Amino acid sequence: MPIKIANSLPARAVLESENIFVMTEYRALHQDIRPLRLAMLNLMPTKIVTETQILRCLSNTPLQIEVDLIQTSSYTSTHTPEDHLLTFYKTFDEIRGNKYDGFIITGAPVEKMAFEDVDYWAELCSIMDWTRTNVHSTLHICWGAQAALYHHYGIPKYLLPEKISGVFGHRVLKPRENLFRGFDDVFRAPHSRHTETRADDVRANPELTVLAESDEAGLYIAEARQGRQIFVMGHSEYDADTLKSEYFRDLGKGMDPHIPSHYFTDDDPMKPPVVSWRSHGQLLYTNWLNHYVYQTTPYDLARM
């Protein structure tokens, strides 16, 4: 949360020059507070795991948040108990009349397919179009980010020669961007995908800005519309053992997966993983909630 200081305090100019978030007394007195309204379109088959990971990242903040869990109606997950979906999830038709401060679109295990071949593609396109007018800031994750960049901006994805899996170092390219308040110049984040969106394609579009990338993993974060749309290619929300579970799952299927890079102790899958991304992953979600949702969303969502 911001530091509230007197309007004329000399430290204000110094702190602002260091990219420290300060709030003047005037602004604090004129802020109205209400719970943030968020929704998450969960496209993962293991919905309970994904919702738990992301809600954990959203919960570490003093902000009060109300979250609607959304599923597609054109495709129903067979990996999540039906009673869980009926109890906790809504369809797009049930919420299309709502407006939200923030919206999250998760990844999905369909990245090898052409976008148009995905069963729920038409519905997803409708939802992505709807977010432009009914959501203040939308955070897209992994395949969800690829899908949004393709749908909104015509940016293609490319099949990689082999799956990229592991925890990689990334450079902050825009250190004064609010999303990176408190970040180190280099930070680590997990990736797990068979395809990529290329940073050069994103840079070629004047509506898009590349914010962070990796020498090994490529594009990591891009944004558009002054943070109204954020695209994250990795999985900062992953638990310590997520990549481990994926690796041994693929081994069990008779596949020959590469050992996730920079992840296991001594790169030995018989040894425990080393968690090196949790703090920056948490900070990513906290900064998004604070600076791209809470600080800029209208008090009356009807005015969005």
Side-chain angles (χ1 to χ4, degrees):
M1 295 298 289
I3 303 169
K4 188 183 80 170
I5 61 175
N7 297 15
S8 57
L9 190 70
R12 174 187 172 188
V14 175
L15 292 173
E16 289 180 339
S17 72
E18 295 175 355
N19 206 28
I20 303 299
F21 185 32
V22 297
M23 178 180 288
T24 64
E25 288 180 330
Y26 178 84
R27 184 177 178 190
L29 289 171
H30 289 78
Q31 270 200 326
D32 287 315
I33 304 298
R34 61 163 176 77
L36 292 178
R37 295 200 66 191
L38 265 62
M40 178 170 67
L41 176 63
N42 192 348
L43 301 175
M44 291 296 289
T46 52
K47 296 193 185 306
I48 295 175
V49 172
T50 301
E51 71 197 33
T52 301
Q53 291 176 345
I54 294 178
L55 290 176
R56 181 184 296 118
C57 292
L58 295 174
S59 67
N60 193 22
T61 168
L63 302 175
Q64 184 178 350
I65 302 169
E66 300 173 350
V67 181
D68 287 337
L69 299 175
I70 313 300
Q71 63 171 326
T72 57
S73 57
S74 47
Y75 179 82
T76 302
S77 173
T78 58
H79 293 78
T80 303
E82 184 178 3
D83 61 342
H84 182 83
L85 297 175
L86 290 173
T87 302
F88 298 109
Y89 278 76
K90 301 176 182 179
T91 65
F92 177 52
D93 285 339
E94 294 178 272
I95 60 96
R96 69 166 65 240
N98 297 347
K99 291 184 182 290
Y100 291 94
D101 300 295
F103 199 88
I104 297 172
I105 299 177
T106 74
V110 294
E111 54 186 308
K112 289 185 177 181
M113 301 172 61
F115 291 116
E116 292 82 0
D117 292 339
V118 175
D119 289 342
Y120 49 81
W121 179 247
E123 181 180 6
L124 179 58
C125 289
S126 297
I127 294 172
M128 290 189 292
D129 288 338
W130 169 88
T131 63
R132 293 179 67 93
T133 55
N134 285 57
V135 176
H136 186 66
S137 181
T138 304
L139 179 66
H140 311 78
I141 302 171
C142 200
W143 183 83
Q146 293 181 338
L149 285 169
Y150 176 73
H151 174 65
H152 293 301
Y153 302 101
I155 306 293
K157 63 179 172 70
Y158 302 88
L159 186 66
L160 292 166
E162 58 187 24
K163 181 180 181 180
I164 183 168
S165 175
V167 182
F168 302 94
H170 303 78
R171 300 185 310 280
V172 173
L173 303 181
K174 302 288 184 181
R176 294 190 64 80
E177 185 72 27
N178 286 332
L179 198 63
F180 299 120
R181 288 183 185 270
F183 269 60
D184 297 320
D185 294 341
V186 176
F187 65 96
R188 298 172 68 80
H191 288 256
S192 178
R193 49 187 166 80
H194 295 274
T195 57
E196 67 172 347
T197 298
R198 295 175 181 167
D200 287 345
D201 290 343
V202 174
R203 288 190 174 95
N205 189 314
E207 297 182 73
L208 298 167
T209 303
V210 176
L211 301 181
E213 62 182 337
S214 166
D215 291 337
E216 292 183 86
L219 175 68
Y220 184 56
I221 302 178
E223 74 168 0
R225 303 174 65 214
Q226 297 180 312
R228 297 288 297 275
Q229 294 172 318
I230 296 176
F231 313 93
V232 180
M233 297 297 161
H235 289 282
S236 296
E237 75 283 355
Y238 266 8
D239 292 328
D241 63 351
T242 302
L243 290 174
K244 176 181 177 180
S245 298
E246 292 180 358
Y247 172 72
F248 283 105
R249 176 201 65 196
D250 291 347
L251 277 179
K253 291 181 178 179
M255 302 167 64
D256 186 25
H258 285 275
I259 297 172
S261 302
H262 320 300
Y263 174 61
F264 291 109
T265 302
D266 301 325
D267 290 326
D268 182 349
M270 294 299 106
K271 295 182 178 180
V274 177
V275 178
S276 57
W277 67 90
R278 183 179 292 130
S279 59
H280 284 91
Q282 181 61 68
L283 193 54
L284 175 70
Y285 279 85
T286 300
N287 283 345
W288 174 65
L289 277 176
N290 189 13
H291 298 289
Y292 295 79
V293 183
Y294 171 72
Q295 294 295 335
T296 58
T297 191
Y299 181 81
D300 182 359
L301 283 174
R303 298 172 55 194
M304 188 180 301

